[in-house]
Amino acid sequence: MRRAFAAIAFGAALALVASSGAGGPSSPVAWTVETLKTVDGGDAAKGKKLHEDCAQCHGEAGNTDIPDVPDLGGQDRLYLYKQILDYKAGSRASSIMNEAVKSLSEKDAADLAAFYASQKPFRAAAPQKASSAAAIRLATVGDGARLIPACDSCHFDRGAKNPGYYGLPVLQDQKFQDITVQLTAFRTGERANDVYRVMRAVSKALTDDEIAALAAYYSATLVKK
C-alpha cells in the first residue's frame, strides 16, 4: 500500500514537471547502449592513476573528512560518470570541478568512475539511528498533498543502491552536510543537472527542517526523535 501511494505521487510529480515547459537538457549524458558500454568498460587501474590529481581534495580512495565534499568510494559508477561529464559540460556548476575535469575524455570519466566504485564506502554499514517521523514519512511514503514522492521509491530503501535506475546516487551513509548542501542547491536551482527536473521539483517543496531531517535519515549521523 505504501509503495503504491509512492508510485502515484511520483507519477503526479513527473506530470507536473513535464507540464512546466522547462527547456534545454539538464545533462549531456544519455543512457544509450553505447553509453552503458563505455561506463562498463571503465578501467579502475587507469582511474586510480587519474585520481592522483584529485586526491588532495577527495582523499586517497575517493573519501575525505571534509564535511561538504562527497564520499566517492563505493558510489554508483553510472552516477559518477554522469557527474564528471556534467561538470565538464557546465550543466553542473562548480568553479573547482568545472576546471578540474575540463581535459577529461568520456573514457577518462569511465575509468575514474570504475576506480571510485571499486573502493569501499568510507562509512559503510553505519548503524541506523533513531530518525524523525517527518524524515521516515518523506523517505518511505512521501507527501501526496505536495506531490512529493517517497525518496526511497527512486533511491531504494534508505538510499541504498537502486539497480533499477540509471545514474542515481547512493545516499546511504553519505555525509549529513553534503546531503543538506545538495538538496538546498536543488531547491534554489543552483544545481540543475537532474533529469526531468525531478530533484528541483521535489526539493522546492521541502522546508529547511525537512531537508535537515532527510539528511539525518540517510547519513545516520544525527538523531532526531
Side-chain angles (χ1 to χ4, degrees):
M1 182 69 178
R2 194 171 69 183
R3 292 292 184 186
F5 176 81
I8 292 170
F10 182 59
L14 280 180
L16 178 64
V17 170
S19 66
S20 67
S26 61
S27 171
V29 177
W31 297 119
T32 64
V33 172
E34 290 304 315
T35 301
L36 297 177
K37 285 182 178 178
T38 297
V39 179
D40 287 342
D43 186 324
K46 292 181 179 178
K48 182 178 181 179
K49 184 67 176 176
L50 289 168
H51 170 68
E52 290 177 1
D53 292 332
C54 312
Q56 183 175 354
C57 291
H58 286 286
E60 291 185 7
N63 300 311
T64 175
D65 285 327
I66 302 173
D68 58 350
V69 174
D71 290 332
L72 306 180
Q75 184 57 267
D76 180 78
R77 68 161 63 190
L78 292 175
Y79 174 75
L80 293 166
Y81 174 83
K82 178 182 183 296
Q83 299 312 305
I84 292 170
L85 294 185
D86 284 355
Y87 279 128
K88 180 180 173 70
S91 55
R92 182 173 179 183
S94 164
S95 57
I96 295 174
M97 288 302 303
N98 296 149
E99 180 67 21
V101 304
K102 69 178 183 180
S103 64
L104 297 180
S105 66
E106 292 182 6
K107 181 63 169 63
D108 291 335
D111 291 343
L112 276 168
F115 168 69
Y116 294 131
S118 70
Q119 303 305 299
K120 291 183 179 180
F122 195 33
R123 293 167 180 78
Q128 179 68 70
K129 298 181 180 180
S131 300
S132 71
I136 294 172
R137 180 170 179 79
L138 286 169
T140 61
V141 180
D143 186 339
R146 290 185 289 166
L147 296 181
I148 299 176
C151 304
D152 288 355
S153 65
C154 287
H155 291 283
F156 211 59
D157 292 343
R158 210 185 140 231
K161 183 175 180 178
N162 186 349
Y165 286 81
Y166 292 146
L168 292 188
V170 174
L171 301 180
Q172 189 174 54
D173 299 324
Q174 291 295 314
K175 296 171 183 168
F176 174 85
Q177 186 168 342
D178 180 51
I179 295 173
T180 302
V181 167
Q182 297 310 318
L183 284 174
T184 302
F186 277 127
R187 185 175 68 180
T188 63
E190 178 183 352
R191 182 172 174 183
N193 69 324
D194 50 326
V195 178
Y196 301 130
R197 299 177 62 96
V198 170
M199 286 305 304
R200 279 172 282 177
V202 170
S203 298
K204 191 173 183 179
L206 298 175
T207 66
D208 287 343
D209 286 345
E210 287 171 335
I211 286 177
L214 284 168
Y217 176 79
Y218 288 114
S219 66
T221 59
L222 180 69
V223 177
K224 286 190 175 183
K225 295 182 179 180

